[in-house]
Amino acid sequence: MDTYVYFFEGRLYINLTNKCCNDCTFCLRNNMDGIEGNNLWLKKEGSKEEIVELIKKNLNFTDAVFCGYGESTYRVDDMVYLAQFLHSVGKKVRLDTNGLGSLINGYDIVPKLKGNIDYVSVSLNEADADGYDKVSRSVFGKEAFGAMLDFTRECIKAGIKAKMTVVDVIPKEDIEKCRAICENLGAEFRVRELIK
Ligand code: SF4
């Protein structure tokens, strides 16, 4: 049975897709099948209606997170539908993303997120386009870094709280440059430990 929703540290996580435009060197998918015994590889993506039914089975949480084994913004319309459902039952909604949803969809997706996503956590990964390309290995190549920053900037303008993350696999001086980028944008900054 595919895992469309799972609980982790008291939050409900929604695993919408296995599609991703990046191939990050640190991606969990390279050496694990999932989290806490939940296999996150999907044989088939769940429909938005199926996922609503699963969420309704246990509403004992305050925060829901779009984050699975792929980039949720490939399914931006289904994600917004689910976010509206989650808001209707009083939940907060976070999106964990590589920030490339507008490139993926070919238009600025932030107006769709406005009012539906409460906060985003964006993978900054590195301090410039070359470094980002090495770590993230995006199909969008060097265009990806600027697009990810634009996405974050637009989210903040739209009133969506933003955090940006790096994984502690990059040099210390790059971590400091990343911190400065976040301060500039008005995003929170977090250094994540590599999950092994
Ligand atoms: S963006 Fe996320 S899902 Fe995609 S390869 Fe990187 S870590 Fe993995």
Side-chain angles (χ1 to χ4, degrees), residues 66-133:
F66 289 99
C67 174
Y69 254 26
E71 172 52 42
S72 306
T73 57
Y74 273 93
R75 295 184 61 189
V76 64
D77 290 329
D78 290 343
M79 188 177 76
V80 166
Y81 176 95
L82 291 166
Q84 287 171 346
F85 166 73
L86 287 158
H87 275 171
S88 77
V89 290
K91 309 301 178 188
K92 284 214 173 99
V93 183
R94 185 177 103 202
L95 164 64
D96 287 4
T97 176
N98 61 21
L100 300 178
S102 297
L103 275 186
I104 289 166
N105 288 284
Y107 61 88
D108 177 11
I109 64 165
V110 175
K112 284 190 173 176
L113 306 189
K114 185 175 178 174
N116 294 313
I117 300 291
D118 300 301
Y119 49 114
V120 287
S121 175
V122 182
S123 303
L124 172 57
N125 292 352
E126 252 292 5
D128 57 34
D130 286 337
Y132 182 91
D133 196 39

Side-chain angles (χ1 to χ4, degrees), residues 20 22-24 26-27 29 70 98:
C20 190
N22 287 2
D23 176 22
C24 300
F26 56 80
C27 184
R29 308 189 307 176
N98 61 21

Side-chain angles (χ1 to χ4, degrees), residues 50-81:
E50 277 175 296
I51 296 173
V52 164
E53 290 311 310
L54 289 171
I55 296 171
K56 280 183 185 165
K57 283 187 181 169
N58 182 357
L59 291 170
N60 189 21
F61 62 93
T62 54
D63 290 60
V65 187
F66 289 99
C67 174
Y69 254 26
E71 172 52 42
S72 306
T73 57
Y74 273 93
R75 295 184 61 189
V76 64
D77 290 329
D78 290 343
M79 188 177 76
V80 166
Y81 176 95

